[in-house]
Amino acid sequence: SYELTQPPSVSVSPGQTARITCSGDALPKQYAYWYQQKPGQAPVLVIYKDSERPSGIPERFSGSSSGTTVTLTISGVQAEDEADYYCQSADSSGTYPLYVFGTGTKVTVL
Amino acid sequence: QLQLQESGPGLVKPSETLSLTCTVSGGSISSSSYYWGWIRQPPGKGLEWIGSIYYSGSTYYNPSLKSRVTISVDTSKNQFSLKLSSVTAADTAVYYCARHREDCSGGSCDNWFDPWGQGTLVTVSS
């Protein structure tokens, strides 16, 4: 089955830059999406189509893609950015599409 | 502003069927370009897509759950529903409903989930 691999945790000081990676074999052919999930809350879309930012999402959130790895970057991290982050993409190699989420990364603001 | 709200029993016995409904407000479930999906998250674990449905009734299911899942839609009530049969403790999770956006161009389609409902915890226990 298709897997998207993320580091379990990333720690960053306020004002610094956090980078979260997501690796998957199909990422050169499929866009990636990023969701932020704070404790006890539902996920919120923060990046779509690798690097597009939905309205209402702060400019400090950005995304990029290179080969089999996509990266979510949070510039000038704030305390409110402490959350779990999940990437998501699709596996279209089968008869029907399969939508897959990454393993998740916990971002801790020191 | 589109909102989604899950409802249903919070406790289900092993071997029985889990049933949840998602009510959509602030927009029509019959909108083109949108599917409507279910995603679950076991306590302390990651997200798993369960399946999605178009307002016409067309469905996609996660192959790992396909034999036990049925998703249906009621456009008159602006609702869609999930049934998961023969549940075990492994099906204990927070179940989310979400709007599933499909954007097709150039022979390929891009898919993502936004927004999500608040989620509902379903515990499988006798």
Side-chain angles (χ1 to χ4, degrees):
Chain A
S1 62
Y2 185 48
E3 294 183 350
L4 295 172
T5 303
Q6 300 178 232
S9 62
V10 168
S11 297
V12 60
S13 298
Q16 298 303 303
T17 296
R19 294 182 179 85
I20 306 162
T21 58
C22 171
S23 299
D25 290 341
L27 289 177
K29 296 175 287 186
Q30 294 283 346
Y31 282 123
Y33 307 84
W34 289 95
Y35 302 87
Q36 175 194 67
Q37 185 179 34
K38 296 182 179 180
Q41 298 184 20
V44 172
L45 180 74
V46 294
I47 292 290
Y48 67 101
K49 292 188 179 182
D50 286 351
S51 59
E52 300 293 322
R53 196 173 50 251
S55 61
I57 300 302
E59 292 183 4
R60 63 180 181 273
F61 288 89
S62 63
S64 61
S65 175
S66 179
T68 59
T69 299
V70 294
T71 302
L72 173 67
T73 300
I74 312 173
S75 304
V77 166
Q78 300 182 7
E80 66 197 53
D81 300 329
E82 186 164 284
D84 294 327
Y85 291 83
Y86 294 90
C87 60
Q88 175 247 311
S89 190
D91 177 9
S92 299
S93 62
T95 304
Y96 299 103
L98 173 64
Y99 305 107
V100 178
F101 292 90
T103 50
T105 299
K106 181 175 182 59
V107 170
T108 300
V109 181
L110 301 171
Chain B
Q1 180 183 0
L2 189 79
Q3 293 186 316
L4 299 92
Q5 178 68 58
E6 305 88 351
S7 59
L11 181 64
V12 180
K13 290 182 168 55
S15 80
E16 295 190 344
T17 296
L18 177 160
S19 296
L20 295 173
T21 294
C22 181
T23 300
V24 178
S25 59
S28 173
I29 203 169
S30 301
S31 299
S32 60
S33 297
Y34 297 120
Y35 278 72
W36 303 90
W38 288 98
I39 300 110
R40 69 179 183 178
Q41 184 174 36
K45 296 188 177 181
L47 300 164
E48 180 181 36
W49 171 70
I50 300 170
S52 298
I53 189 165
Y54 197 57
Y55 73 90
S56 63
S58 174
T59 52
Y60 291 131
Y61 296 135
N62 188 322
S64 68
L65 298 168
K66 185 176 182 178
S67 64
R68 299 194 292 130
V69 173
T70 301
I71 298 176
S72 58
V73 64
D74 186 336
T75 56
S76 67
K77 295 182 179 179
N78 232 30
Q79 295 176 334
F80 62 108
S81 298
L82 168 70
K83 291 188 184 298
L84 181 65
S85 63
S86 304
V87 297
T88 69
D91 294 309
T92 293
V94 175
Y95 285 77
Y96 295 100
C97 59
R99 185 175 66 179
H100 174 168
R101 172 72 185 269
E102 182 172 76
D103 184 13
C104 297
S105 63
S108 66
C109 295
D110 307 306
N111 294 264
W112 65 96
F113 302 92
D114 176 59
W116 298 50
Q118 67 182 29
T120 187
L121 174 63
V122 178
T123 302
V124 178
S125 175
S126 55

